[in-house]
Amino acid sequence: MCGIVGYAGEKKTIPILIDGLKRLEYRGYDSAGLAVISKERRLEVRKSPGRVSELEATLKDMPETGNRIGIAHTRWATHGEPTKENAHPHIDCTGNIALVHNGIIENYEALRTYLEERGHTFISKTDTEVVAHLIEEFLKEKGTTFLDAFIKAIQHIKGSYAIVAISVLEPDTIYASHLSSPLVIGQGEGENFLASDASPFLGKASEVLYPPEDEVVVITKDEIKLFDLNKNKRDPVFEKLEGTLESIQKGSYSHFMLKEIHEQPERIRDAMRGRLLLREGDAKLGGLEPIWGDIVNAKRIIISACGTSWHAGLVGKYMLEEIARVHTDVEYASELRYRNPVFEKGDVLFVISQSGETADTLATLREAKSKGVTVAGIVNTVGSTIAREAGVGVYIHAGPEIGVASTKAFTSQVSILALITLAIGRAKYITQEKGVVIAEAMNALPEKVGRALGAEDEIKSIARDFKNSKNFLYLGRGANFPTALEGALKLKEISYIHAEGYPAAEMKHGPIALIDENMPVVFVAPQDGIYEKVLSNIEEVRARKGKVIAIANEGDDRIKSLADYIIRVPRTLGWLGPIVNVAPLQLLAYYLALERGCPIDQPRNLAKSVTVE
Ligand code: F6R
């Protein structure tokens, strides 16, 4: 949700912090702040409501800093409005300690009362500020070092956190710890970094450390030390930092979202690379091997996720049931976790998450694991909490997704589900001959998605015609019902136009009441097994003067007399259709938002990874 950056080194600290915050701004952008230590050993703190650029404008009068350490934060508000007071870093009463936090401190009210009774004065309405005061309080005890006080504070808080603190008492050192919130350490030459993900130090650090939860990392420019909560030293395990600077830059695109939409053919190819076996007509997912027997023999597959990842899961249900013939349930993680779900022998749970941090999805994973269910993750972000805790799973290899509205992650997630479907089907009853047909269809997907994206000019013109619409309806059937849901979600997220996705045949059970000449209805209408039925649903909309925008296959002439607007997409196997058909819906949302002047990469109230429930 929030983004944290820290730096220890001799380079100019403030530009490094600001650059890092900009790279993390997709995580939250309602206020921002930073703290450094001046040459006179005073804390210098600047905060501002709004975007990082607004924080930058407050830095002109910054005194010379020691350029030794600094911490910074970009916020997605949970407790307290996005004001300057509530922006991080938060400071203790002495003004010696500055602290930033991502997550939620659940027992902050009790801690605040405890601290107020001991004379502490609070400035903000946040849950975070208690931690700065707690450290201050514990430091009063004779013989207590900053490390002791930091550990004691961590032991007193309940909830989720990535906490990073600095103090003028130790002006070269950063202290950090995390639990159920991400924290990554980057090791460079004579400089070290920390952040919520590795993007702030891509191109600057060579090695990365994912510190274990509930341990404390102590960072100076020359050293990265790890301690457990009993102050025992632990050995940090570094990994090579993968990823390129290019992957987190917009390049020639005006928005990350547009770049990510156009990257999809390549990313789908990456998801399938080495896993799709064309000659054998099969798929092999190395990451699932430890539990492959359980997967093939599963009596039920459960897929749990949130938002767009949940839509990908729902496409998975259609695939797994139709092709692999395995009973599949798809669950909102936020519901499953509190329902005391019934798990049975033979269940296998897949959790899907782009960020690998979503709090509800993580909780579902933990709940299922604690009940002995076989679990696996389908995750994008390497080293993320869900990826690590799942232990077993598949990376989708979509690369960093920075636009807040998820696009390339969806098609890559569905591609992975298609691979799993093929592999289970082949292990059970699909012949090699049929497997080869499926594998070839999958292999052709990147090129077909590229062709579907070629309809950009028609889509721009449709967006111009409908930019003042107040509502949209998205309808589809079979595996394209989730495609319709995803199209509607994209539209509401970035253009703020109200949109609903429905199974096309459900329309007459209620939503049909909304249809008049002002209602654009987007039909996902490929020539698959249910095409004729969808045509009847289109007729029902036309009879009520609704404006029909059809996503239809190349060469489909029948649609011409039925739709007001047609966006052409190549034909593929019905159950693979969502991967191709979603592409124009992403572009339609993008160009409608552009016409309406919306902040596409950072829509209001949203943040990229939802680490709170
Ligand atoms: C929609 C979107 C969200 C996420 C959801 C789950 O464009 O981005 O709905 O899909 O918050 O996030 P992950 O996949 O990171 O678990």
Side-chain angles (χ1 to χ4, degrees):
M1 301 296 321
C2 304
I4 290 177
V5 189
Y7 176 72
E10 285 173 352
K11 298 206 181 110
K12 284 195 174 212
T13 307
I14 291 173
I16 290 175
L17 295 177
I18 291 289
D19 180 50
L21 283 186
K22 286 185 174 165
R23 295 188 194 186
L24 286 183
E25 208 169 8
Y26 70 90
R27 301 178 64 86
Y29 34 81
D30 56 38
S31 51
L34 58 78
V36 291
I37 295 177
S38 73
K39 279 197 164 144
E40 296 75 34
R41 272 198 174 208
R42 268 199 325 269
L43 267 185
E44 290 293 336
V45 181
R46 294 292 182 281
K47 311 203 268 192
S48 164
R51 314 248 156 169
V52 174
S53 53
E54 285 161 71
L55 172 67
E56 243 181 322
T58 70
L59 300 177
K60 298 201 176 75
D61 64 332
M62 275 305 261
E64 279 278 288
T65 70
N67 287 330
R68 300 204 288 212
I69 54 169
I71 56 175
H73 188 268
T74 176
R75 180 169 184 247
W76 185 87
T78 57
H79 296 65
E81 288 172 25
T83 59
K84 183 173 172 185
E85 288 69 36
N86 292 335
H88 302 211
H90 291 287
I91 313 299
D92 70 322
C93 299
T94 62
N96 285 340
I97 301 166
L99 180 140
V100 295
H101 162 231
N102 175 21
I104 288 191
I105 312 233
E106 286 164 5
N107 58 337
Y108 84 99
E109 279 168 325
L111 291 172
R112 189 168 169 141
T113 310
Y114 166 85
L115 289 160
E116 278 172 344
E117 281 166 7
R118 278 158 186 75
H120 291 261
T121 309
F122 284 79
I123 309 290
S124 76
K125 301 235 170 346
T126 63
D127 52 338
T128 303
E129 195 182 343
V130 294
V131 191
H133 292 277
L134 264 186
I135 298 174
E136 176 196 356
E137 183 64 24
F138 296 142
L139 270 174
K140 288 178 190 161
E141 291 161 26
K142 210 163 165 253
T144 304
T145 63
F146 196 87
L147 177 61
D148 296 330
F150 188 85
I151 290 178
K152 209 163 164 190
I154 298 293
Q155 285 169 327
H156 274 73
I157 59 183
K158 291 201 177 81
S160 61
Y161 55 81
I163 287 177
V164 182
I166 57 172
S167 156
V168 294
L169 309 172
E170 297 184 33
D172 297 314
T173 312
I174 305 177
Y175 289 84
S177 185
H178 77 123
L179 180 71
S180 300
S181 261
L183 184 70
V184 190
I185 315 297
Q187 181 170 252
E189 283 285 315
E191 57 182 355
N192 291 313
F193 305 80
L194 64 79
S196 302
D197 68 39
S199 55
F201 43 84
L202 274 183
K204 296 173 182 165
S206 50
E207 302 233 290
V208 72
L209 163 73
Y210 298 101
E213 295 201 327
D214 249 354
E215 294 195 358
V216 177
V217 201
V218 180
I219 300 172
T220 61
K221 71 180 175 57
D222 299 314
E223 239 184 332
I224 296 169
K225 288 191 277 194
L226 262 186
F227 296 92
D228 67 17
L229 297 188
N230 294 317
K231 264 176 73 175
N232 297 312
K233 255 186 123 180
R234 317 285 291 196
D235 287 332
V237 181
F238 290 93
E239 296 169 30
K240 192 172 172 309
L241 175 57
E242 306 283 354
T244 61
L245 210 49
E246 196 196 2
S247 67
I248 56 160
Q249 290 167 337
K250 280 203 288 260
S252 57
Y253 290 96
S254 44
H255 294 93
F256 279 108
M257 183 180 176
L258 191 60
K259 176 186 178 222
E260 288 158 6
I261 289 172
H262 280 284
E263 264 177 44
Q264 289 178 110
E266 234 178 295
R267 299 291 87 86
I268 294 166
R269 178 83 59 216
D270 290 344
M272 296 193 297
R273 181 165 293 121
R275 295 166 168 168
L276 182 66
L277 310 175
L278 274 177
R279 227 174 303 143
E280 293 89 331
D282 204 344
K284 204 171 176 59
L285 294 131
L288 295 179
E289 250 160 37
I291 57 163
W292 189 244
D294 289 359
I295 293 175
V296 171
N297 297 313
K299 292 211 171 64
R300 175 174 74 142
I301 287 179
I302 309 158
I303 301 176
S304 189
C306 305
T308 288
S309 298
W310 185 87
H311 293 159
L314 195 54
V315 177
K317 174 182 169 72
Y318 282 89
M319 293 174 159
L320 286 160
E321 293 201 335
E322 185 183 332
I323 303 300
R325 305 298 301 146
V326 50
H327 173 183
T328 305
D329 288 332
V330 184
E331 299 269 7
Y332 287 114
S334 54
E335 289 297 314
L336 187 67
R337 66 178 290 193
Y338 285 117
R339 218 181 52 218
N340 191 14
V342 180
F343 292 118
E344 287 180 348
K345 202 163 180 288
D347 283 347
V348 172
L349 173 80
F350 283 98
V351 288
I352 307 182
S353 177
Q354 186 287 126
S355 61
E357 285 173 26
T358 303
D360 287 319
T361 311
L362 178 60
T364 302
L365 170 72
R366 287 178 175 163
E367 164 88 6
K369 267 185 116 172
S370 75
K371 291 189 166 157
V373 179
T374 300
V375 297
I378 298 177
V379 176
N380 190 31
T381 307
V382 176
S384 58
T385 313
I386 293 177
R388 282 181 288 118
E389 289 203 15
V392 174
V394 188
Y395 280 121
I396 65 171
H397 296 317
E401 191 180 62
I402 293 172
V404 165
S406 187
T407 52
K408 62 176 179 173
F410 175 80
T411 43
S412 296
Q413 289 162 345
V414 177
S415 301
I416 295 296
L417 288 163
L419 289 169
I420 295 172
T421 300
L422 172 60
I424 300 177
R426 281 286 280 118
K428 282 164 75 176
Y429 72 96
I430 292 178
T431 60
Q432 182 172 358
E433 204 182 355
K434 188 169 174 206
V436 167
V437 174
I438 293 173
E440 279 172 358
M442 288 173 66
N443 195 43
L445 285 169
E447 186 269 327
K448 291 190 175 177
V449 171
R451 248 161 59 207
L453 291 170
E456 209 154 1
D457 286 340
E458 289 99 297
I459 294 170
K460 281 183 196 165
S461 128
I462 297 172
R464 279 193 291 275
D465 287 358
F466 289 99
K467 66 175 183 225
N468 295 319
S469 294
K470 302 251 179 309
N471 297 290
F472 264 74
L473 207 52
Y474 285 71
L475 302 176
R477 297 187 73 158
N480 283 306
F481 158 49
T483 315
L485 289 177
E486 178 58 9
L489 178 65
K490 288 290 88 77
L491 187 69
K492 50 192 155 194
E493 282 181 297
I494 60 165
S495 76
Y496 314 146
I497 297 174
H498 172 240
E500 295 285 347
Y502 260 91
E506 267 297 302
M507 175 189 61
K508 54 187 169 298
H509 299 286
I512 199 164
L514 296 169
I515 293 174
D516 62 15
E517 65 281 10
N518 296 317
M519 176 64 98
V521 185
V522 180
F523 273 94
V524 188
Q527 289 167 304
D528 56 14
I530 206 150
Y531 172 67
E532 296 293 337
K533 305 281 175 200
V534 175
L535 292 190
S536 308
N537 300 136
I538 295 180
E539 294 280 15
E540 290 156 12
V541 168
R542 280 172 56 79
R544 287 155 187 89
K545 299 198 169 60
K547 293 276 173 295
V548 174
I549 301 166
I551 311 297
N553 284 146
E554 294 164 352
D556 171 4
D557 290 333
R558 286 178 66 194
I559 201 87
K560 281 188 190 157
S561 59
L562 295 177
D564 299 284
Y565 299 83
I566 301 173
I567 303 171
R568 296 289 180 181
V569 288
R571 195 169 172 172
T572 177
L573 298 180
W575 58 279
L576 295 175
I579 297 173
V580 178
N581 302 334
V582 79
L585 302 187
Q586 297 166 339
L587 284 176
L588 183 62
Y590 175 84
Y591 282 109
L592 276 161
L594 196 67
E595 285 291 335
R596 290 161 68 90
C598 297
I600 292 176
D601 280 336
Q602 293 168 350
R604 73 179 172 216
N605 304 339
L606 294 177
K608 187 69 187 160
S609 55
V610 186
T611 53
V612 295
E613 46 174 297

